[in-house]
Amino acid sequence: MTESVPPQPHRPGGSGEPGDGPGAAPVLLLTGARLGDGRVVDVRLSGGRIEAVGTAGSLTAGSAAGQPPGAGPAGLPGGTALRDGRRTADGPVQGGTGSRVDLTGYLLLPAPAEPHAHLDTALTADPAGPPSDAAEDVQRRVTEAALLQLGHGATVVRTHVRVGDVQGLAALEAVLQAKRSLRGLVDLTAVAMPRLLTGAAGGDGLAVLRDAVKMGADVVGGCPDLDPDPTGYAEAALSVACEFGCPVDLHTDAADPARLARLTAMAGGLRPGVTLSGCAGLTMMRPEAARRAAGQLSAAGVAVVCLPQGGCGAPGRGGRPGGGHGPGVFRELRAAGVRVSAGSGSLRDAANPVGRGDPLEAAFLLASHGECGVRTAYDAVASRARDTLGLPEVRVEAGFPAELLAVRGPRLDAVLSLAYSRIVIHRGRVVSRTSAVREYADCDTAAALDLPRQSRTDT
């Protein structure tokens, strides 16, 4: 396979663009990586993009021009890397003019994106007492939770944040501060989520929502099902989104066919787009009603985020944790042509005390529950999730953004089943590395059978 450098794909504006701001690395060479189709390749990254992909051993960490195949940076022999201009042993090297990461034994994939999180309430499942709403505590939780999700592989996270009532905009301010401090490691987008938008309290909710967008919220959100007038709530949210040119992301059970049809009709054609999160109530409809609702969502171009790992921080009807996953929802929506992706929802909060925030677990659950095949399941947390967030497509091909996840394992099914060692690449540089070593006590039988174990050889 020869090097290929096609024209760069279209780059719409928004979070997560390669080379924007701090964090874009000059050159990084990934060697010996296995792709989903079984090929073993080298991949060279530069300026936050994939510069070239070639057969293993064919690329160098320097410019492709003027260097013989197999040469190291600045003409050094293959198998040599540079750190600050000095020759070092082969292996992961950060910095210098010839950074190289050996991905032998790893599967290289487009990085996941997290389309649905509640980072302001994450890590609050401790029953010792109610979580602190102090700005510094919220910022600490958001930062820790975002880094946990980054370690799992998500290089961009959309987080829903409650605004209004007693807290006002304090939680959003903490999220935006965390967003700024994490720039270059992981991209955060904030969804402002007011409680009420109609009735006597609706005026205050609308004012807070507008202030939230002016402050820096990227998306207009909320939960119409909790408002006394769900249709009026949706109309108000869509109106504010049109006013500011923002996307919309609303929680809904989607259990009422007539209400869902009205919401879909209002959302159709809105740009930059509308997302509905949860929709577990589709499973409560009669089959013909569910198919009709899915068809309406598809025709309107509305995206849906399913939550296979359980409920999220937005309460459902009756104050119960809402937004959970209904078996068959993903399959039904995908069959109708809906732009459907999968998110994590809650991360160890009251709604889901054991939530892990791991995109690979969401994909595993889709595949293991028979919602779809392994490849489609991973696409739901990667390419489909990026599409939901309005981000450019990622492929392991020249010209595409260098948003990548390397997971130790031979194939995608094995990776979704049991994979702990992960290397995360954001804007062309390694931003997280998780290494797992499994060891057993001495056992002649195990040694004789050469039993597999997850281990590392690239220390």
Side-chain angles (χ1 to χ4, degrees), residues 274-303:
V274 176
T275 300
L276 300 182
S277 294
C279 293
L282 285 171
T283 59
M284 300 164 58
M285 297 182 188
R286 296 191 307 274
E288 61 273 17
R291 286 192 292 270
R292 184 166 56 251
Q296 292 167 344
L297 290 167
S298 177
V302 175

Side-chain angles (χ1 to χ4, degrees), residues 50-413:
I50 299 174
E51 184 180 84
V53 179
T55 51
S58 67
L59 300 185
T60 67
S63 171
Q67 292 193 20
L76 290 172
T80 304
L82 292 178
R83 187 196 301 271
D84 299 328
R86 292 174 297 173
R87 188 177 300 194
T88 69
D90 200 4
V93 179
Q94 302 301 315
T97 57
S99 300
R100 175 186 287 115
V101 177
D102 180 9
L103 293 183
T104 302
Y106 282 79
L107 187 68
L108 186 62
L109 303 163
E114 177 51 69
H116 194 102
H118 289 263
L119 301 187
D120 60 324
T121 57
L123 311 175
T124 58
D126 187 346
S132 169
D133 290 331
E136 60 272 19
D137 292 327
V138 175
Q139 183 180 343
R140 184 182 302 110
R141 289 198 301 264
V142 171
T143 302
E144 183 179 355
L147 291 175
L148 283 172
Q149 296 203 287
L150 173 65
H152 290 316
T155 60
V156 60
V157 178
R158 172 181 283 186
T159 180
H160 295 251
V161 187
R162 300 185 189 191
V163 297
D165 296 328
V166 176
Q167 256 193 299
L169 297 173
L172 175 62
E173 186 175 3
V175 169
L176 295 178
Q177 182 59 42
K179 174 182 178 177
R180 290 187 287 269
S181 67
L182 290 168
R183 184 164 172 78
L185 288 176
V186 57
D187 291 327
L188 296 185
T189 60
V191 184
M193 193 172 68
R195 187 171 60 90
L196 298 175
L197 290 180
T198 69
D204 291 341
L206 278 170
V208 168
L209 181 56
R210 288 191 173 94
D211 288 344
V213 176
K214 292 174 184 177
M215 178 183 283
D218 306 280
V219 184
V220 169
C223 187
D225 297 350
L226 295 182
D227 195 282
D229 179 4
T231 300
Y233 186 108
E235 287 177 340
L238 293 170
S239 175
V240 172
C242 287
E243 179 182 343
F244 289 94
C246 294
V248 177
D249 192 337
L250 299 174
H251 294 72
T252 180
D253 284 346
D256 185 326
R259 184 188 300 170
L260 181 60
R262 288 194 294 270
L263 175 55
T264 302
M266 288 188 291
L270 183 70
R271 294 292 178 268
V274 176
T275 300
L276 300 182
S277 294
C279 293
L282 285 171
T283 59
M284 300 164 58
M285 297 182 188
R286 296 191 307 274
E288 61 273 17
R291 286 192 292 270
R292 184 166 56 251
Q296 292 167 344
L297 290 167
S298 177
V302 175
V304 174
V305 177
C306 294
L307 305 175
Q309 297 178 69
C312 69
R317 291 171 297 174
R320 298 184 306 273
H325 178 63
V329 169
F330 183 90
R331 183 171 60 250
E332 185 80 50
L333 293 171
R334 181 169 172 267
V338 178
R339 295 165 49 228
V340 59
S341 59
S344 298
S346 289
L347 174 58
R348 285 161 45 196
D349 62 16
N352 187 356
V354 295
R356 295 180 57 200
D358 185 352
L360 267 62
E361 182 180 50
F364 157 78
L365 290 170
L366 288 177
S368 63
H369 291 164
E371 296 275 8
C372 58
V374 171
R375 172 55 61 183
T376 300
Y378 188 78
D379 286 345
V381 301
S383 60
R384 294 288 185 176
R386 289 184 65 87
D387 175 66
T388 296
L389 299 178
L391 297 173
E393 182 181 15
V394 173
R395 300 182 196 168
V396 189
E397 298 177 11
F400 284 85
E403 303 288 319
L404 303 169
L405 171 64
V407 189
R408 179 169 286 282
R411 302 176 313 278
L412 187 56
D413 57 347

Side-chain angles (χ1 to χ4, degrees), residues 10-55:
H10 175 61
R11 295 175 59 188
S15 174
E17 289 296 331
D20 291 349
V27 177
L28 177 65
L29 181 66
L30 311 177
T31 63
R34 183 175 297 276
L35 302 184
D37 60 10
R39 290 177 295 154
V40 178
V41 300
D42 291 348
V43 180
R44 186 169 61 236
L45 314 178
S46 179
R49 289 195 166 267
I50 299 174
E51 184 180 84
V53 179
T55 51

